[in-house]
Amino acid sequence: MAIRNRKTRLIHLRRSIYVILAVAALSLSVLCAEEAAQFPENFRRWVHVGTGVIMPPASPQMTSEEGMHHIFANEKAVEGYATGNFADGSMVVYELREAKQQNGIIFEGDRKRVDVMIKDSAHYASTGGWRFQRFWKDDQAQNAVHDNGTSCFQCHQKANAHGFVFSQLK
Ligand code: HEC
């Protein structure tokens, strides 16, 4: 009798360990559900679409964009710029740097931010087929967009006539 009791207790213990392990695995998978960041390597060697400079004091809506920004497109996106139809695999980068001014010369300084759009129509149907990501300064590991790109797309959808891409390559 005593042996049997010990056995059932052991079985119970083993069962609770399995349950604890299963719960731990589940919560881990929920925690890791956020997709891994995709930083566009060597984007400065892609095609340069254009550059803009917003010098301080900028209007309140534009202060976040103060500096010098460059837009770069990979090969696939270059084709999209011509047709307004961006194929899967297209990538466009908006790189914001400090704008320094000295003796009438404006030149770029440190990197402030990198915004990235990657086209994958099956996965990102709710944001026009684009994945939106944001990286601060020189960080390449942490994507600062946590709302699946909804807030980025709210504005970018105004460019719907050109595949949700504002800039033009002409
Ligand atoms: C309030 C409107 C607005 C919001 C919000 C916005 N963007 Fe943009 N974005 C623009 C405009 C306008 C341009 C074009 C800038 C230029 O041509 O100099 C642009 C350009 C870009 C580009 C270059 C491709 C293009 O459309 O010309 C990328 C990449 C980009 N944004 C990513 C993002 C990401 C990522 C977010 C969210 C974290 C975001 N944007 C939020 C207005 C917005």
Side-chain angles (χ1 to χ4, degrees):
M1 196 66 183
I3 292 173
R4 201 192 253 167
N5 269 346
R6 240 182 79 203
K7 233 185 193 168
T8 31
R9 244 185 283 145
L10 268 176
I11 289 169
H12 276 183
L13 187 69
R14 221 190 278 160
R15 266 199 205 135
S16 13
I17 288 173
Y18 286 151
V19 169
I20 290 168
L21 283 179
V23 169
L26 198 73
S27 25
L28 205 71
S29 69
V30 168
L31 276 178
C32 300
E34 193 147 284
E35 246 179 308
Q38 267 176 289
F39 188 85
E41 259 178 63
N42 294 325
F43 66 83
R44 299 261 297 187
R45 295 178 200 160
W46 296 354
V47 168
H48 176 232
V49 176
T51 290
V53 181
I54 298 168
M55 294 303 282
S59 64
Q61 311 93 281
M62 293 306 273
T63 41
S64 64
E65 309 308 309
E66 261 174 21
M68 182 183 290
H69 67 258
H70 310 293
I71 295 174
F72 298 95
N74 72 354
E75 283 300 326
K76 275 205 173 150
V78 168
E79 290 165 27
Y81 268 95
T83 60
N85 224 328
F86 291 80
D88 283 355
S90 296
M91 293 198 221
V92 192
V93 169
Y94 173 105
E95 182 197 32
L96 180 64
R97 289 183 170 245
E98 307 270 353
K100 308 217 164 174
Q101 196 166 12
Q102 216 168 39
N103 306 326
I105 301 166
I106 296 174
F107 53 95
E108 64 171 33
D110 290 344
R111 183 177 284 163
K112 293 174 81 175
R113 208 177 80 208
V114 175
D115 284 353
V116 183
M117 288 167 67
I118 299 180
K119 189 76 186 276
D120 182 343
S121 13
H123 283 96
Y124 307 103
S126 65
T127 47
W130 290 100
R131 179 180 193 191
F132 288 87
Q133 296 175 97
R134 171 163 284 178
F135 299 86
W136 292 110
K137 299 195 169 168
D138 289 316
D139 178 63
Q140 304 192 355
Q142 305 281 332
N143 170 20
V145 172
H146 299 297
D147 64 353
N148 295 321
T150 314
S151 52
C152 309
F153 186 62
Q154 253 164 26
C155 189
H156 273 261
Q157 65 185 350
K158 292 182 205 154
N160 62 330
H162 187 244
F164 308 110
V165 171
F166 281 106
S167 47
Q168 298 281 342
L169 183 55
K170 281 180 179 160

